[in-house]
């Protein structure tokens, strides 16, 4: 395996400590951080003061394979990931077929390993009938935990009856992540708004209360059974309140349970006003919120109440998205631009770079107890991204490597871009000028992620 020495970088070590120096990569792992000196036959990269970060861990993507691979597959999805400085992804089970049996799990695991340029974790899917499979999936290679859709979204995974949720929470002791929306309130509101055809109605049907009620249910179950629960794509103050109440309750009862949450870039960089320009393109579940909710998410991140950022990368083609409201699928792509968007936010002073590192690298590693990734340290896997914090580029659809070929951030000028990415010591992406760069990984560089607990 190739050895690399990356010289004269500003290295972001744990807790955002910045040190100037070199990093030596030997095989899959980081061999030395600091002053490397003579590195023998190692390939040399001159960082010239650019920043070396641990690769981003995006713990929420929909790479679509097996299933609708005209939107994405492990080849295009992982190319998009590494172009954006993302070195590990955790894929959701609403593929087709859904990842609800051990057989489907091992099929997905094999195809992902063969094709992915980034590391791979997988969520196992819950339905009302697969409890036995759920229990055996715990501890299986690459499995990060269990995903429960509490309300309808894309695909056919749904556990919308309280009794079924109860049975699963009682039996399963692994990490449970929830798509938290209350199905009953959603259906009531669907009927209430019948006849409205503008995409903005999506945000009214799936309102803040719809989300908050489901967070409360998940929190109650976590406390009752002492479970570790992660709330996906939190987007409202009402959910934050429900989350805090659940956290207080969990502390009170002891029992080892805990509840964490993530926020997605689209709830930080877009809001309901964007329907006017983008229409159904920016329809997703949970939906875009008001400007005030969007500000509240930034504030919650700033207060340390949100453990991590994940993209909910959910590609659909422009043709599919062009259908009228009601027929257009929900979801927007995100894995490719989350890091540039956040670096740009830090450049503009909205947050600090250290916070970005915490939310995108260390946070997901901590929440998911990822083994040996998410930080630059001797002995950790060599998942690295070299960042040019001053590079300015315009986002354009034509540069997107996601197979869906578009992004809701097109037209934005962002400052701060990944210029080189390594996964397990393999160079997978290189940008030598201000252009779109080149994906040099051919697939198979990724490994199955490992999770403690
Ligand atoms: O907007 C969404 N799209 N939300 C989900 O829950 C699923 C996702 C998808 O898979 O397209
Ligand atoms: Zn999702």
């Amino acid at each position: 395996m190739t050895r690399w020495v990356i010289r004269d970088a500003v290295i972001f070590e744990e807790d955002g400590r910045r040190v100037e120096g070199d990093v030596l990569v030997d095989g899959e792992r980081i061999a030395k951080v600091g002053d490397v000196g003579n590195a023998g036959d190692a390939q040399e990269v001159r960082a010239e003061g650019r920043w070396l970060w641990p690769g981003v861990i995006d713990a929420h993507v929909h790479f679509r394979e097996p299933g609708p691979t005209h939107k994405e597959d492990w080849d295009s999805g992982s190319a998009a990931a590494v172009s954006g400085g993302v070195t590990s992804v955790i894929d959701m089970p609403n593929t087709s077929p859904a990842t609800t049996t051990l057989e489907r799990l091992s099929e997905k695991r094999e195809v992902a390993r063969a094709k992915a340029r980034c590391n791979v974790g997988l969520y196992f899917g819950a339905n009302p009938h697969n409890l036995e499979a759920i229990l055996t999936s715990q501890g299986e290679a690459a499995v990060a935990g269990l995903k429960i859709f509490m309300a309808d979204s894309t695909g056919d995974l749904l556990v919308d009856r309280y009794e079924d949720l109860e049975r699963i929470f009682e039996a399963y002791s692994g990490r449970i992540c929830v798509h938290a929306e209350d199905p009953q309130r959603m259906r009531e509101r669907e009927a209430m708004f019948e006849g409205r055809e503008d995409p903005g109605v999506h945000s009214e049907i799936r309102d803040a209360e719809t989300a908050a009620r489901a967070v409360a249910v998940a929190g109650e179950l976590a406390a009752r059974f002492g479970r570790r629960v992660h709330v996906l794509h939190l987007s409202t103050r009402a959910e934050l309140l429900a989350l805090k109440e659940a956290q207080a309750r969990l502390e009170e009862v002891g029992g080892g349970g805990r509840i964490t949450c993530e926020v997605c870039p689209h709830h930080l960089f877009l809001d309901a006003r964007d329907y006017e320009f983008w229409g159904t393109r920016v329809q997703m579940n949970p939906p875009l919120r008001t400007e005030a909710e969007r500000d509240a998410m930034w504030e919650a991140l700033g207060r340390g109440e949100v453990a991590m950022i994940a993209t909910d990368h959910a590609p659909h083609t422009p043709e599919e998205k062009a259908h009228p409201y009601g027929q257009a699928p929900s979801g927007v792509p995100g894995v490719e631009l989350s890091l540039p968007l956040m670096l740009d936010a830090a450049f503009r002073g909205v947050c600090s770079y250290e916070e970005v590192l915490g939310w995108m690298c260390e946070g997901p590693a901590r929440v998911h107890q990822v083994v040996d990734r998410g930080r630059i340290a001797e002995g950790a896997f060599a998942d690295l991204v070299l960042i040019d914090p001053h590079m300015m580029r315009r986002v354009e659809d034509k540069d997107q490597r996601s197979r869906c070929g578009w992004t809701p951030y097109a037209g934005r000028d962002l400052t701060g871009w990944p210029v080189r990415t390594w996964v397990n010591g393999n160079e997978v992406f290189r940008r030598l000028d201000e252009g779109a760069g080149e994906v040099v990984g051919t697939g198979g560089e990724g490994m199955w992620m490992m999770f403690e607990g």
Side-chain angles (χ1 to χ4, degrees):
M1 273 195 101
T2 322
R3 296 165 77 244
W4 292 89
V5 59
I6 302 154
R7 293 205 191 270
D8 304 322
V10 174
I11 303 161
F12 280 61
E13 290 193 288
E14 272 165 280
D15 305 320
R17 248 179 303 121
R18 299 185 193 192
V19 291
E20 281 174 41
D22 318 323
V23 164
L24 180 69
V25 173
D26 193 5
E28 301 167 342
R29 300 212 182 222
I30 296 169
K32 189 161 191 325
V33 181
D35 193 0
V36 168
N38 184 349
D41 61 354
Q43 285 211 55
E44 188 160 301
V45 174
R46 300 219 150 266
E48 291 165 338
R50 286 173 297 182
W51 298 353
L52 196 64
W53 279 31
V56 169
I57 299 173
D58 188 342
H60 187 165
V61 304
H62 299 263
F63 276 2
R64 309 295 189 207
E65 187 173 10
T69 51
H70 65 284
K71 303 177 201 265
E72 201 78 285
D73 68 3
W74 283 97
D75 179 39
S76 59
S78 71
V82 298
S83 316
V86 174
T87 53
S88 298
V89 299
I90 307 184
D91 186 60
M92 287 299 169
N94 61 332
T95 39
S96 182
T99 319
T100 48
T101 69
L102 271 285
E103 203 182 339
R104 288 170 184 173
L105 170 71
S106 58
E107 281 164 15
K108 193 192 264 193
R109 205 163 46 192
E110 292 308 326
V111 72
R113 169 133 92 187
K115 293 166 83 170
R117 298 169 180 85
C118 58
N119 302 303
V120 175
L122 302 175
Y123 265 105
F124 200 75
N127 67 32
H129 318 289
N130 71 335
L131 188 57
E132 213 173 299
I134 289 174
L135 297 182
T136 6
S137 74
Q138 196 179 346
E140 272 283 321
V143 172
L146 183 69
K147 161 86 180 262
I148 302 181
F149 283 89
M150 296 170 75
D152 278 304
S153 193
T154 307
D156 58 1
L157 282 176
L158 176 65
V159 184
D160 63 350
R161 287 181 14 177
Y162 186 79
E163 306 81 77
D164 291 326
L165 289 171
E166 222 174 8
R167 267 190 314 117
I168 296 170
F169 271 76
E170 182 169 19
Y172 182 79
S173 64
R175 188 173 302 99
I176 299 175
C177 67
V178 288
H179 178 123
E181 289 186 286
D182 181 87
Q184 201 186 331
R185 181 175 171 93
M186 214 170 87
R187 280 170 211 144
E188 280 165 20
R189 292 178 71 80
E190 247 160 25
M192 213 165 113
F193 290 103
E194 218 192 308
R196 276 224 0 226
E197 285 166 5
D198 59 303
V201 73
H202 197 62
S203 295
E204 299 195 48
I205 295 171
R206 295 173 175 253
D207 69 344
E209 178 64 20
T210 300
R213 280 192 192 176
V215 172
V217 170
E220 184 258 316
L221 290 166
R224 182 135 66 97
F225 297 110
R227 298 303 182 217
R228 288 166 294 165
V229 172
H230 179 71
V231 178
L232 302 162
H233 36 50
L234 188 126
S235 58
T236 62
R237 282 165 296 190
E239 285 166 282
L240 259 182
L241 268 180
L243 188 95
K244 281 189 205 164
E245 273 167 26
Q247 277 165 342
R249 176 98 192 92
L250 278 156
E251 225 159 86
E252 203 180 293
V253 298
R258 69 183 169 121
I259 188 161
T260 53
C261 72
E262 71 190 26
V263 167
C264 302
H266 48 259
H267 291 127
L268 296 171
F269 295 98
L270 300 167
D271 60 50
R273 293 170 301 176
D274 289 295
Y275 285 123
E276 197 179 329
F277 180 80
W278 289 102
T280 48
R281 285 267 184 127
V282 293
Q283 173 195 324
M284 79 279 295
N285 305 328
L288 290 181
R289 307 295 187 186
T290 60
E291 192 185 3
E293 297 282 23
R294 169 180 160 173
D295 290 346
M297 293 306 102
W298 279 107
E299 284 157 22
L301 275 165
R303 288 193 302 267
E305 292 167 5
V306 177
M308 53 181 266
I309 286 178
T311 66
D312 195 5
H313 174 79
H316 300 284
T317 65
E319 296 72 32
E320 291 162 340
K321 289 296 251 177
H323 287 128
Y325 180 70
Q327 289 157 46
S330 290
V332 288
V335 73
E336 204 156 351
L337 291 169
S338 56
L339 180 61
L341 283 164
M342 292 304 295
L343 291 172
D344 182 70
F347 178 76
R348 289 185 286 110
V350 178
C351 55
S352 72
Y353 289 105
E354 285 74 11
E355 284 176 314
V356 173
L357 182 100
W359 299 329
M360 302 189 80
C361 308
E362 292 168 353
R366 194 173 55 245
V367 168
H368 291 87
Q369 295 174 278
V370 178
V371 176
D372 290 348
R373 304 188 190 277
R375 65 198 154 87
I376 295 185
E378 290 172 12
F381 284 107
D383 293 346
L384 298 167
V385 54
L386 190 65
I387 288 168
D388 182 340
H390 302 299
M391 180 180 281
M392 209 253 270
R393 302 184 63 239
R394 176 158 297 174
V395 176
E396 293 184 70
D397 282 353
K398 71 171 174 49
D399 294 335
Q400 303 311 301
R401 289 182 167 99
S402 167
R403 188 156 296 146
C404 71
W406 71 280
T407 164
Y409 309 108
R412 295 189 192 213
D413 292 321
L414 304 179
T415 302
W417 287 84
V419 295
R420 211 138 167 165
T421 311
W422 291 265
V423 170
N424 303 311
N426 301 289
E427 187 188 23
V428 286
F429 173 71
R430 187 193 302 157
R431 191 197 311 276
L432 299 178
D433 54 25
E434 318 260 301
E438 192 190 350
V439 174
V440 292
T442 52
E445 290 84 0
M447 294 169 41
W448 294 336
M449 295 165 76
M450 290 180 289
F451 307 91
E452 279 162 26

